[in-house]
Amino acid sequence: MSGEGEIVVIGVGLAGLVAALRLAEGGRRVRVLAKGVGSTHLSGATVDVLGYAPFRVRSPAATLPEFAVANPHHPYALMGTAVVDDAVTWLKGRLSNPRYVGDLRRNFLLPTALGVAKPTAVAPQTMAVGDLTHGGCFVIVGLPGLKDFYPALVAGNLGSTVGIAGEAIEARAVDVDLTLDGRVDVGPLAYARRLDDPAFRAQLAARLHGRLGADDMVGLPAVLGLTDAEQAWEELEARLERPVFEIPTLPPSVPGVRLYGALSGALHRLGVSVTIGGEVLGAETHGGRVTGVHTETANGVRFHAAAGVVLATGGWAAGGLEMDSHWVVREPVLGLPVTGIPGGGRRFLPGYFDHHPLASTGVAVEGSLRPVDGDGRVVFTNVRVAGATLAGAEPWKEKSGDGLSLSTGYHAAMSMLAEED
Amino acid sequence: MESIETEVLVVGGGATGLGVARDAAMRGFATVLVERKDLAEGTTGRYHGLLHSGGRYAVKDPRAARECAAENAILRRVAADSIEDTGGLFVTTPWDDVTFGDRFLAGCADTGVGVEEIDVADALRREPAVNAGIRRAFLVADASMDAWKLVWACARSAEQHGARILTYRRVVEVLRAADTVAGVVVVDSRSDEEMTIHARMTVNATGAWAGQLAALAGCRPVEVVPGKGIMIAMNHRIVNTVVNRCTMPSDGDIIVPIRTVSVVGTTDSPVADPDQLEVTQAEVDHMLDEGEKLVPGFRHARALRVWAGARPLFGARPPGDDDTRDITRAHALIDHAERDGIGGFVTITGGKATTFRLMAEETVDLVCRALDAGGPRPCRTAVEALPDSEPGAYYSVGSRLARREAHLLDDQLVCECELVSRQTLEEAVERRPTANLDDVRRALRLGMGPCQGGFCTYRATGIFHRLERLDQVTANTALLDFLQERWKGVHPILYGDQLRQARLDDWIYQGLMDVEHLPAVAAAAIGSVA
Ligand SMILES: Cc1cc2nc3c(=O)[nH]c(=O)nc-3n(C[C@H](O)[C@H](O)[C@H](O)COP(=O)(O)OP(=O)(O)OC[C@H]3O[C@@H](n4cnc5c(N)ncnc54)[C@H](O)[C@@H]3O)c2cc1C
């Protein structure tokens, strides 16, 4: 099998990383080409599989089958929901620092940077400890100069929230005066790098000493170390003698950078070449197959022959779907058909939270994620589409973003591997 | 019910109202101004941003041209701090009649508008992005004027002279004593409390709403046609000079550089209600097409937001004419004692932001006569500069950055796009104890840059809440309002990079923060979420 041609994965967000890694593990030669880093650096790095449908989902496993029936064009429905479970299990097996916990049987309710209890299926254990499902007492900690996290806002909203059986949640905010060398304008990554240092962690613990009640659990912005979060987290728990958890901040996301590091490191170990800054300009095709892609390099345009392509270009947010000023929509890399383009110029409605006609526009696929045209005919047999470029979902509303990218990236790889047999 | 008394009451907190309040206060009248929202939330905060040289009206509307030319020179002396001296170009594009330039030159000469025809090559050297096919070019004294700065400077000056400025007070009733207006009743839109203001003279400076207020006063109809115009802000300074087409005023024929953006506009169509200004797809397309004529490649620039304003156009609507552009841009001062036999009430409407000072001067002259002020009280607004303004000390596009760079290491940047620091934000909050997040947003231009509040919406909410200025419900509601407000300005122009940005913001606020499920929000906000 490894003697066969190379698979080109386009995009290095979660979907691209997962597809590339699973293919490489399956023995395929893989090349990853990406314009820039992707969604991982923005998202909270929790695996949200299904949070709202549209009611709050308690158990994704129980809800997914009926969700698939109600949303037949959703990627979950097209792939079959069993894939999601396999993908989650596979991913958890590849992440150890920090480890990921949880499964599809029930969602955690994890606090966001606004103090909202967000349903999520699988999360780094550094975050999962903050589960609000059964209430509790929480102290939310603010770090000086960090402008992307407001503990009082988090605590205030947590205090107006209850557990699933009405359990009380008590929350308050504390600020610790542990500056980064007196800096007043600090991003999450700067704190994370510094918290890789045990001495700095000890200072943080010391600043919190005596300020915590007996039952308080401690919520910190998600900056507990970049390279060794597991260690940083365990050490803080030990020093404070109580549960400690992280809450995602505004981007850049430290947990996302960790997730990216873990998966791209695994790719590296398998000898997969990852080129960032290699924008794919277009493809060569022959007989219903993509035979290779052109990338932009400093040295001019370069051609990469491809036995297959996984298109994981991240949808609208990452340039995987585009609309120009004449309102023409296209998928710019392979020129795939785009479905769900609303007619009559009504792309968006006046209310921000309205159901916007353009919301689930994207590339339509069949069950093995090969792109199809308006008549349901496969466009390229050796192409798979994964992640936010797919039609039929509104992941930011469903709270299914990383779950969708993970499972479609995984399924794209599996169906390609299966085909070679 | 609270009740206060004053000599002069000004209704309307736009450029005109503030100009009148300042002038009246400077001439020694006890003065109160009421505005139903925040200052400059009417047309003044939604205009095109152009301090006219008069060139635009030189052929079509000589009176307006003359007034603009004179006021332009005055404002450059007394309000320089609100002006960026961009200069202006009139260019003859391939779509325009070359001979119009001759009429233009003649019109400028007749109306005192300074103008110089320059080589096309010089014009293109000055503005390389402008269509290389232009056939003639004329240099004029157009400039870019920051309406918020102007209005707030007038407000500060008025207050220094003893005036009271009351925002979020809507006039709901005009009090009459026989055939005289005796004052008004206002409702505080935040507390719902009523207040009576007795005044010897009430000045209706409500712009496009002037007809509504005059009706409350029981006057004969004041014919103000709200003329809707849309504008689109494009990222970057595509041009650094105001660029006009040298032709009869039409749609989308001016690009104004304002701070870090370039604004194309505008349109002109009569509407029934100045509070209902919908932006249509056709209007957006039209603006982009016209922008493309002036600056090829315009459509590839990133459109940041779109908005509409309502011109207060005074005069009967020309029968069967859908274009309100034929109504004069000069202002109208109505003495209702003379016209309707109703004393204590005058209306000042029409005009331009450029001529606000002159409009105020004429209005207060009339007030002096009507109140028989006992001897002349001369107007000083043409000579006395606004606070913090020095003649010739214009602001420049780099002003904010220069100020910011001095504090790079000791202040936090809350809004990277518009360079708003935490200290600036906190000071703005302290200065106006009653300000809400939305007021501060507008005053500081917070969230108005390319990312449209993607980051600073959350930060500003957090900072406000932390200053204990917002309780939990108010903070959450303010955040949702902020998101909705931003959405209003972007959804009609979402394409290209701005669509991409909007989706990124969706991921941040909905995907990452789950803002739709904030636990405590005011009932009204829940409505907009559902
Ligand atoms: C699209 C467009 C572009 C323009 N471009 C330019 C330009 O480039 N240069 C230029 O010089 N001029 C321009 N103008 C014209 C200029 O903006 C207006 O002439 C000027 O701003 C009007 O100011 P104003 O104070 O009279 O009215 P406004 O600014 O509208 O003020 C009236 C105020 O009255 C308040 N009000 C109404 N009813 C009540 C009530 N019952 N109680 C209390 N308050 C009330 C309103 O809220 C409002 O704030 C433009 C206008 C438009 C529409």
Side-chain angles (χ1 to χ4, degrees):
Chain A
M1 227 159 42
S2 50
E4 293 165 10
E6 193 168 72
I7 307 282
V8 171
V9 175
I10 306 171
V12 72
L14 186 61
L17 288 166
V18 164
L21 185 56
R22 187 64 195 85
L23 282 165
E25 286 181 356
R28 294 305 306 255
R29 274 199 301 128
V30 180
R31 173 183 296 275
V32 182
L33 299 170
K35 191 158 60 172
V37 293
S39 56
T40 46
H41 291 52
L42 302 168
S43 86
T46 55
V47 183
D48 306 355
V49 168
L50 189 64
Y52 288 91
F55 52 88
R56 191 162 84 186
V57 174
R58 175 87 184 106
S59 163
T63 307
L64 274 170
E66 56 192 85
F67 179 79
V69 171
N71 300 278
H73 301 295
H74 194 284
Y76 283 159
L78 295 170
M79 294 188 299
T81 56
V83 173
V84 187
D85 206 9
D86 295 346
V88 161
T89 308
W90 174 87
L91 182 74
K92 281 166 68 181
R94 267 127 205 96
L95 301 173
S96 57
N97 193 356
R99 271 181 295 135
Y100 273 57
V101 296
D103 54 47
L104 301 191
R105 276 172 305 171
R106 71 165 195 102
N107 275 329
F108 298 114
L109 291 174
L110 301 186
T112 72
L114 281 173
V116 178
K118 188 176 80 153
T120 190
V122 175
Q125 64 173 342
T126 60
M127 289 185 201
V129 173
D131 188 15
L132 304 163
T133 303
H134 302 298
C137 296
F138 301 92
V139 167
I140 311 299
V141 177
L143 298 172
L146 182 62
K147 62 185 171 189
D148 295 328
F149 187 76
Y150 293 86
L153 201 57
V154 177
N157 280 326
L158 289 182
S160 325
T161 308
V162 290
I164 50 157
E167 298 94 332
I169 294 176
E170 276 174 44
R172 65 192 169 91
V174 304
D175 284 314
V176 295
D177 66 352
L178 180 67
T179 70
L180 276 191
D181 314 317
R183 284 161 63 187
V184 296
D185 195 346
V186 197
L189 284 167
Y191 262 112
R193 280 190 202 99
R194 190 56 92 68
L195 280 161
D196 278 334
D197 173 5
F200 199 73
R201 296 201 286 261
Q203 284 182 39
L204 175 59
R207 296 291 204 291
L208 282 167
H209 223 84
R211 301 181 66 184
L212 306 170
D215 300 327
D216 286 339
M217 300 199 259
V218 177
L220 286 148
V223 297
L224 290 185
L226 204 53
T227 56
D228 197 356
E230 189 91 5
Q231 174 69 30
W233 169 72
E234 275 173 7
E235 197 180 296
L236 266 178
E237 285 212 324
R239 282 184 188 275
L240 295 173
E241 298 176 323
R242 67 191 63 242
V244 170
F245 60 95
E246 295 186 297
I247 302 171
T249 64
L250 273 185
S253 157
V254 170
V257 174
R258 291 178 200 142
L259 178 61
Y260 177 83
L263 295 176
S264 63
L267 282 173
H268 184 74
R269 285 191 293 279
L270 289 176
V272 174
S273 142
V274 178
T275 307
I276 290 185
E279 179 169 2
V280 178
L281 304 171
E284 295 287 329
T285 63
H286 181 74
R289 294 172 68 84
V290 172
T291 54
V293 298
H294 297 286
T295 61
E296 174 133 61
T297 74
N299 201 12
V301 175
R302 196 175 149 191
F303 182 71
H304 299 277
V309 171
V310 177
L311 187 76
T313 44
W316 299 106
L321 294 167
E322 285 179 358
M323 179 160 65
D324 68 17
S325 72
H326 297 281
W327 321 105
V328 176
V329 175
R330 61 189 200 113
E331 182 284 297
V333 176
L334 301 178
L336 297 174
V338 178
T339 54
I341 301 170
R346 271 310 241 192
R347 290 170 293 273
F348 298 103
L349 303 178
Y352 178 53
F353 295 107
D354 287 348
H355 182 79
H356 303 295
L358 193 80
S360 49
T361 304
V363 175
V365 291
E366 41 76 279
S368 63
L369 302 180
R370 291 182 298 181
V372 296
D373 64 17
D375 300 323
R377 278 190 302 263
V378 171
V379 186
F380 297 118
T381 52
N382 65 336
V383 170
R384 302 293 186 282
V385 184
T389 299
L390 289 167
E394 271 186 89
W396 52 94
K397 275 208 163 82
E398 299 159 10
K399 316 302 168 211
S400 66
D402 282 350
L404 202 71
S405 292
L406 163 64
S407 55
T408 54
Y410 180 82
H411 190 59
M414 294 307 280
S415 86
M416 270 191 168
L417 291 169
E419 206 164 64
E420 302 325 316
D421 295 335
Chain B
M1 194 199 309
E2 193 189 347
S3 173
I4 61 173
E5 251 174 67
T6 186
E7 285 177 295
V8 177
L9 168 69
V10 184
V11 184
T16 310
L18 268 305
V20 172
R22 174 178 186 237
D23 195 337
M26 283 171 72
R27 296 199 218 186
F29 290 108
T31 304
V32 172
L33 179 143
V34 292
E35 159 60 45
R36 62 180 185 153
K37 295 183 180 172
D38 196 15
L39 299 186
E41 266 221 67
T43 308
T44 301
R46 298 166 205 273
Y47 86 138
H48 202 168
L50 171 56
L51 176 66
H52 283 284
S53 60
R56 181 161 175 84
Y57 306 113
V59 174
K60 180 138 190 209
D61 195 342
R63 179 184 153 200
R66 218 169 266 122
E67 288 175 354
C68 284
E71 287 302 306
N72 180 299
I74 292 171
L75 292 185
R76 283 167 177 272
R77 286 200 306 274
V78 300
D81 191 44
S82 303
I83 295 170
E84 183 189 346
D85 185 19
T86 58
L89 277 173
F90 277 76
V91 295
T92 308
T93 73
W95 294 269
D96 306 323
D97 175 8
V98 190
T99 63
F100 186 85
D102 300 327
R103 293 169 65 196
F104 177 70
L105 285 172
C108 287
D110 285 351
T111 53
V113 174
V115 62
E116 181 195 349
E117 179 155 15
I118 61 172
D119 275 353
V120 163
D122 285 340
L124 291 174
R125 208 168 295 127
R126 181 182 173 125
E127 288 302 337
V130 164
N131 193 332
I134 58 171
R135 289 171 293 171
R136 295 180 81 172
F138 309 87
L139 210 48
V140 296
D142 285 344
S144 174
M145 183 162 73
D146 184 323
W148 283 283
K149 273 191 108 165
L150 181 74
V151 160
W152 281 102
C154 286
R156 284 204 303 284
S157 171
E159 284 176 338
Q160 283 164 10
H161 288 92
R164 279 184 74 183
I165 311 277
L166 304 173
T167 55
Y168 291 97
R169 271 29 167 252
R170 174 200 291 272
V171 173
V172 291
E173 189 186 337
V174 175
L175 302 171
R176 287 276 297 268
D179 52 5
T180 305
V181 167
V184 300
V185 178
V186 295
V187 174
D188 185 325
S189 67
R190 291 170 172 183
S191 63
D192 279 338
E193 273 166 33
E194 287 194 351
M195 175 178 174
T196 305
I197 306 173
H198 294 282
R200 295 182 60 203
M201 177 61 78
T202 299
V203 178
N204 174 9
T206 54
W209 293 263
Q212 296 178 8
L213 192 74
L216 281 182
C219 301
R220 276 198 295 128
V222 168
E223 290 286 348
V224 176
V225 182
K228 179 183 81 167
I230 79 152
M231 290 139 285
I232 304 178
M234 311 297 282
N235 204 13
H236 301 310
R237 300 269 286 211
I238 296 172
V239 291
N240 284 305
T241 308
V242 175
V243 180
N244 308 258
R245 271 170 72 178
C246 190
T247 173
M248 276 296 191
S250 177
D251 287 348
D253 53 356
I254 311 182
I255 302 177
V256 185
I258 304 178
R259 304 227 177 242
T260 54
V261 303
S262 309
V263 180
V264 68
T266 167
T267 55
D268 203 341
S269 43
V271 293
D273 180 355
D275 286 310
Q276 301 293 329
L277 303 175
E278 208 200 330
V279 175
T280 68
Q281 175 78 70
E283 287 168 329
V284 169
D285 281 326
H286 190 35
M287 283 306 97
L288 296 177
D289 284 340
E290 295 306 307
E292 192 74 30
K293 290 178 183 167
L294 274 170
V295 173
F298 193 80
R299 277 180 169 273
H300 294 292
R302 173 170 176 172
L304 296 183
R305 61 184 180 279
V306 59
W307 70 96
R311 291 183 186 78
L313 297 177
F314 181 77
R317 190 179 309 209
D321 191 348
D322 249 14
D323 190 345
T324 37
R325 207 169 264 117
D326 283 329
I327 299 176
T328 178
R329 294 311 159 84
H331 53 272
L333 175 61
I334 304 170
D335 179 354
H336 293 279
E338 197 182 291
R339 196 189 79 155
D340 309 318
I342 295 174
F345 191 57
V346 299
T347 292
I348 175 72
T349 185
K352 315 277 322 164
T354 302
T355 56
F356 87 99
R357 193 212 61 83
L358 175 66
M359 293 162 70
E361 176 174 347
E362 291 179 8
T363 306
V364 182
D365 284 349
L366 176 61
V367 170
C368 284
R369 288 195 300 278
L371 295 185
D372 196 10
R377 295 192 185 187
C379 172
R380 304 200 312 275
T381 56
V383 288
E384 210 166 293
L386 284 163
D388 303 326
S389 224
E390 283 170 43
Y394 304 112
Y395 75 77
S396 73
V397 65
S399 301
R400 263 198 184 183
L401 184 60
R403 269 202 312 277
R404 169 68 198 154
E405 276 186 330
H407 300 282
L408 261 189
L409 295 179
D410 45 67
D411 198 358
Q412 195 176 66
L413 201 50
V414 175
C415 169
E416 281 91 351
C417 302
E418 293 288 338
L419 298 171
V420 179
S421 76
R422 182 159 188 157
Q423 201 184 329
T424 310
L425 182 66
E426 292 183 347
E427 278 169 9
V429 178
E430 292 309 322
R431 234 187 351 259
R432 295 182 61 204
T434 59
N436 61 31
L437 190 52
D438 204 40
D439 294 343
V440 170
R441 182 179 68 82
R442 261 179 284 103
L444 301 180
R445 307 175 58 82
L446 192 77
M448 298 210 187
C451 93
Q452 287 292 301
F455 287 76
C456 69
T457 304
Y458 171 67
R459 292 175 185 155
T461 309
I463 291 168
F464 248 74
H465 177 257
R466 189 191 156 92
L467 290 173
E468 293 182 356
R469 297 301 294 275
L470 300 180
D471 61 44
Q472 205 66 34
V473 175
T474 318
N476 292 345
T477 308
L479 179 81
L480 294 172
D481 288 348
F482 201 138
L483 291 172
Q484 176 59 43
E485 206 33 55
R486 183 203 60 177
W487 180 252
K488 197 173 101 192
V490 299
H491 78 85
I493 45 102
L494 281 185
Y495 61 79
D497 285 338
Q498 202 61 350
L499 172 54
R500 192 169 165 180
Q501 180 70 52
R503 187 47 44 85
L504 206 61
D505 294 349
D506 291 342
W507 278 113
I508 292 177
Y509 285 94
Q510 300 182 43
L512 184 61
M513 298 204 194
D514 200 359
V515 67
E516 313 96 291
H517 301 99
L518 276 170
V521 287
I526 295 172
S528 69
V529 175

